[in-house]
């Protein structure tokens, strides 16, 4: 049994709740290490190019990596998630929340962004995907350098097509799509 003093202490804790991190501590948790910034800028520049070939490639990558804990080959040991945001690179991320990764993000322009994961990482959902210079070059090699037999074009988010990746991504060469899946079979 607890003494009256112990009981009062525990009751005080329960009635007040735990103190969370201060705003300064929260800012420190969200801060992106300097070592990661160049790699994030490089990838965000690639994923947010305005031409259709880059846009459909970015969509393909996003729809496969939305659950990934992305790490960059910088030694920072930080993890990021790839999100869609109403704000572009260099601005505060404003996430577009959807139930599924292929749901319509809305009519406003959106951007693919990397948001630092600062919450506790749970092992059962910790699916790591490395994105360094090697992965960057391989992505360019598979998706952007080859000639596409079907010219690149934007694909909408209508209910029939968006749930069928064979329709959505048919313009991306099959070899590129499947080789990327094979290259990343450990994650997939």
């Amino acid at each position: 049994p607890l003494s009256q003093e112990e009981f009062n202490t525990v009751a005080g804790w329960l009635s007040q709740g735990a103190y969370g991190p201060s705003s300064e501590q929260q800012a420190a948790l969200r801060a992106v290490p300097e070592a990661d910034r160049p790699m994030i800028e490089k990838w965000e520049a690639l994923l947010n190019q305005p031409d259709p070939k880059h846009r459909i490639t970015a969509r393909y990558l996003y729809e496969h990596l939305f659950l990934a804990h992305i790490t960059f080959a910088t030694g920072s040991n930080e993890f990021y998630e790839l999100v869609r945001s109403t704000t572009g690179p260099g601005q505060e991320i404003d996430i577009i929340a959807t139930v599924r990764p292929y749901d319509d993000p809305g009519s406003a322009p959106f951007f693919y962004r990397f948001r630092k994961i600062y919450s506790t990482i749970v092992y059962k959902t910790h699916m790591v995907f490395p994105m360094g210079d090697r992965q960057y070059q391989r992505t360019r090699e598979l998706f952007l350098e080859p000639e596409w037999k079907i010219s690149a074009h934007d694909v909408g988010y209508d209910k029939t097509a968006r749930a069928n990746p064979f329709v959505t991504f048919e313009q991306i060469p099959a070899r590129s799509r499947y080789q990327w899946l094979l290259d990343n079979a450990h994650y997939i």
Side-chain angles (χ1 to χ4, degrees):
L2 295 176
S3 70
Q4 186 61 43
E5 184 180 339
E6 291 170 329
F7 176 81
N8 291 341
T9 300
V10 171
W13 290 340
L14 294 175
S15 67
Q16 293 175 12
Y19 296 107
S22 67
S23 56
E24 294 83 20
Q25 291 168 324
Q26 288 178 22
L29 288 171
R30 289 187 174 110
V32 174
E34 283 300 320
D36 290 350
R37 287 182 194 278
M39 194 61 70
I40 289 172
E41 289 169 5
K42 182 177 185 175
W43 275 99
E44 285 184 354
L46 177 80
L47 296 173
N48 292 304
Q49 291 293 315
D51 64 280
K53 194 172 192 179
H54 278 85
R55 282 198 307 264
I56 196 68
T57 297
R59 181 172 171 179
Y60 181 84
L61 294 174
Y62 171 74
E63 289 188 18
H64 285 83
L65 297 175
F66 74 99
L67 290 175
H69 288 175
I70 296 164
T71 186
F72 298 106
T74 61
S76 73
N77 295 323
E78 297 291 350
F79 296 100
Y80 300 85
E81 59 184 334
L82 184 57
V83 298
R84 294 185 293 193
S85 173
T86 60
T87 55
Q91 299 174 338
E92 185 77 24
I93 293 174
D94 181 19
I95 290 183
I96 299 171
T98 57
V99 175
R100 294 169 292 275
Y102 54 83
D103 284 347
D104 190 348
S107 61
F110 68 90
F111 304 88
Y112 294 101
R113 305 286 306 281
F114 292 94
R115 182 173 75 162
K116 183 179 171 189
I117 298 171
Y118 58 89
S119 59
T120 302
I121 292 190
V122 180
Y123 185 72
K124 68 181 179 180
T125 60
H126 189 49
M127 298 178 291
V128 178
F129 190 85
M131 291 182 102
D133 286 322
R134 208 164 128 190
Q135 182 70 265
Y136 182 88
Q137 186 52 43
R138 185 64 172 156
T139 299
R140 293 191 57 76
E141 179 184 312
L142 287 174
F143 294 100
L144 302 172
E145 292 171 6
E147 279 297 317
W148 291 14
K149 291 180 182 173
I150 301 172
S151 65
H153 57 279
D154 288 328
V155 177
Y157 288 90
D158 65 87
K159 289 182 180 185
T160 309
R162 73 178 181 207
N164 186 342
F166 298 106
V167 171
T168 302
F169 301 115
E170 84 175 317
Q171 62 193 291
I172 299 174
R175 184 196 176 285
S176 298
R177 287 181 278 146
Y178 296 116
Q179 189 59 57
W180 187 86
L181 293 173
L182 289 171
D183 286 357
N184 300 292
H186 183 74
Y187 166 76
I188 300 298

